[in-house]
Amino acid sequence: MIITGDDLEYVAFVKACLRDQFLMTDLGPLRYFLGIEVSSTSNGFYISQEKYIQDLLARAALGDERTVETPMELNVKLQLTDGDPLSDPTRYRHLVGSLVYLAVTRPDISYPVHILSQFVSAPTTVHYSHLLCVLRYLRGTITRRLFFPRSSSLQLQCYSDATWASDPSDRRSLSAYCVFLGGSLIAWKTKKQTAVSRSSVEAELRAMALLTAEVTWLRWLLADFGVSITTPSLVLSDSTGAISVAHDPVKHELTKHIGVDAFYKRA
């Protein structure tokens, strides 16, 4: 259990009440919790999973010491029929499952983990080779951490992107976003879209709508924490077409089928 707050006396009171009801031990300041390492400095907090990665690499038992610069090559389009089926897919499933939890503190592997997770039911030799590439990337970047500064603005900065028709099997697009609270990265996701987008603009609009839903929830959550955000949260995208539709969705007759998503981003 993690107990946190800005009133140390009240935190001590809560601990005392819990000790009266339950058998518990106070482990002191947060250092390690469920595989996540936390270190505190005068400037802020760092979170990482370095030990978790070390254990993961030990379980993977890679036969070499190579590292790679990126977790997955650019424009890779994996399919179910690539390569030969693995005789025992258990190892692949175990490693991918571990990577899913590692993505809690490593947004740089969010995309490749999302791709590899789609093949856990019937992985092949090609899928496994890409999995090893992610592990070699982690070996070379094992010390990377997320930083949360103590002094930072409480304004949300939001970025969205999409890859149009990137899945060769069903032609569905991928949505991706990240959200910063001041200088702290607090949310990110890569997710396949539920419908086939007819254009790159439509794919970008769906990604922006997904991000808008996340930002709406985060604003409510911050309000529950007593953080009042009175200014609009800007959603940034590199698609000029999607931005144009988001500003004025009624001017494009061809966007009627995605009108809900187009309007939701402006709410």
Side-chain angles (χ1 to χ4, degrees):
M1 178 187 297
I2 299 175
I3 303 175
T4 183
D6 56 2
D7 188 336
L8 297 181
E9 291 185 359
Y10 192 75
V11 170
F13 170 75
V14 171
K15 291 180 180 179
C17 291
L18 290 173
R19 277 195 296 267
D20 290 340
Q21 300 296 325
F22 307 99
L23 180 62
M24 58 175 290
T25 302
D26 187 354
L27 301 178
L30 181 62
R31 293 286 184 268
Y32 189 83
F33 185 76
L34 298 179
I36 299 176
E37 301 166 55
V38 181
S39 59
S40 175
T41 68
S42 58
N43 295 323
F45 295 87
Y46 292 91
I47 66 172
S48 65
Q49 289 176 278
E50 183 173 342
K51 185 179 184 302
Y52 184 88
I53 297 175
Q54 291 174 345
D55 294 340
L56 175 59
L57 294 175
R59 294 197 303 270
L62 299 180
D64 56 64
E65 296 297 326
R66 287 186 294 161
T67 60
V68 295
E69 296 296 326
T70 58
M72 180 170 283
E73 296 178 4
L74 189 64
N75 298 323
V76 170
K77 296 184 183 297
L78 298 179
Q79 300 187 58
L80 287 171
T81 55
D82 291 337
D84 299 321
L86 295 178
S87 58
D88 183 8
T90 304
R91 185 183 185 84
Y92 180 92
R93 294 167 181 168
H94 173 75
L95 293 175
V96 170
S98 298
L99 290 177
V100 170
Y101 184 67
L102 179 59
V104 170
T105 62
R106 292 295 298 263
D108 50 339
I109 65 170
S110 176
Y111 173 77
V113 170
H114 172 82
I115 298 297
L116 295 172
S117 298
Q118 299 179 59
F119 306 105
V120 292
S121 60
T124 68
T125 53
V126 172
H127 306 146
Y128 189 72
S129 66
H130 285 281
L131 171 60
L132 295 181
C133 181
V134 177
L135 295 175
R136 291 189 176 102
Y137 169 77
L138 290 172
R139 175 190 283 158
T141 59
I142 192 172
T143 58
R144 288 190 178 177
R145 303 178 292 177
L146 286 179
F147 177 60
F148 298 89
R150 293 183 184 272
S151 58
S152 180
S153 70
L154 297 178
Q155 298 300 318
L156 294 173
Q157 305 173 53
C158 318
Y159 303 86
S160 76
D161 200 359
T163 56
W164 178 46
S166 57
D167 193 320
S169 61
D170 56 19
R171 309 310 297 170
R172 283 193 284 171
S173 308
L174 284 181
S175 298
Y177 66 75
C178 63
V179 182
F180 288 82
L181 180 62
S184 303
L185 180 61
I186 61 172
W188 59 88
K189 177 176 284 189
T190 301
K191 183 179 182 180
K192 183 186 287 189
Q193 297 180 1
T194 56
V196 176
S197 298
R198 300 180 183 178
S199 67
S200 60
V201 170
E202 182 177 338
E204 295 281 358
L205 283 169
R206 295 187 190 279
M208 293 170 68
L210 179 67
L211 172 56
T212 301
E214 178 74 8
V215 172
T216 302
W217 179 80
L218 286 173
R219 290 174 67 98
W220 289 342
L221 180 63
L222 290 171
D224 289 341
F225 288 157
V227 178
S228 177
I229 300 180
T230 57
T231 58
S233 299
L234 297 180
V235 174
L236 304 179
S237 171
D238 60 356
S239 172
T240 55
I243 293 172
S244 178
V245 174
H247 280 306
D248 188 10
V250 298
K251 72 179 182 179
H252 294 292
E253 289 294 324
L254 297 178
T255 62
K256 289 182 178 179
H257 61 295
I258 53 171
V260 174
D261 281 344
F263 176 78
Y264 184 62
K265 294 185 299 299
R266 304 174 70 234

